[in-house]
Amino acid sequence: MNTFILIITGILGATLTHFVSEHLRFGAVKASALLSLIVGLFFYAFPNLLNGYLTEHLPIVFVGTSFIGMVSAKTLKSYTLLAIAGTLFTGIYITKSHVFDGYGGALGALAFIALVTTMGFAFVVSNSAKIRRKVVLVWEKVFGSWE
């Protein structure tokens, strides 16, 4: 159940930040800061509302995924891709163990990894026919016939 709640938080962090930034015209930094402050203050004011694990990790996941939501609408227009990136961030965050211990900017680095991976996957899926044709062309130039 904790994992499910963290994933929902990751999706909300990315999509809400993007919505407040682009549609309410707050700007990326103000949207991320405002929403992160609200979430942080909520869990500071009510630390015993949820179990200790969620109280500790929910604000961190929200702040990290709000970095994903700071992406420009010109770069990423789909809320579905934002939700996927938020989910991927949460999955990496949960399973990362101690890879980023002592590393400044770990949340930003994880957000970058999740966002670029999602954008790359979406690009490959949407252009798979073009990519396949180019691979065949290169193969035929290097090795001769494809078959």
Side-chain angles (χ1 to χ4, degrees):
M1 187 65 174
N2 287 344
T3 302
F4 178 74
I5 293 171
L6 286 175
I7 289 171
I8 296 300
T9 301
I11 292 169
L12 288 174
T15 55
L16 282 175
T17 301
H18 191 74
F19 178 80
V20 170
S21 171
E22 295 296 328
H23 295 286
L24 300 181
R25 306 214 186 277
F26 270 59
V29 174
K30 288 180 184 176
S32 176
L34 175 68
L35 293 173
S36 297
L37 180 66
I38 291 169
V39 169
L41 287 176
F42 179 80
F43 284 101
Y44 182 76
F46 305 106
N48 298 323
L49 187 63
L50 298 172
N51 67 45
Y53 178 82
L54 288 176
T55 300
E56 178 184 350
H57 294 285
L58 277 176
I60 296 170
V61 168
F62 190 91
V63 170
T65 55
S66 76
F67 295 155
I68 293 170
M70 293 173 72
V71 68
S72 168
K74 293 177 184 175
T75 305
L76 189 67
K77 297 178 181 179
S78 169
Y79 280 96
T80 303
L81 291 177
L82 283 170
I84 292 169
T87 303
L88 182 59
F89 174 95
T90 305
I92 295 169
Y93 176 80
I94 291 169
T95 60
K96 73 174 174 52
S97 70
H98 300 288
V99 173
F100 290 104
D101 281 355
Y103 175 72
L107 293 180
L110 286 177
F112 174 76
I113 291 166
L115 184 60
V116 169
T117 302
T118 303
M119 291 172 65
F121 182 74
F123 175 80
V124 168
V125 168
S126 66
N127 293 308
S128 62
K130 291 179 190 176
I131 293 171
R132 190 174 321 133
R133 281 194 300 269
K134 288 183 182 181
V135 168
V136 168
L137 268 172
V138 170
W139 182 275
E140 288 176 350
K141 282 188 177 191
V142 173
F143 298 108
S145 176
W146 178 254
E147 296 165 8

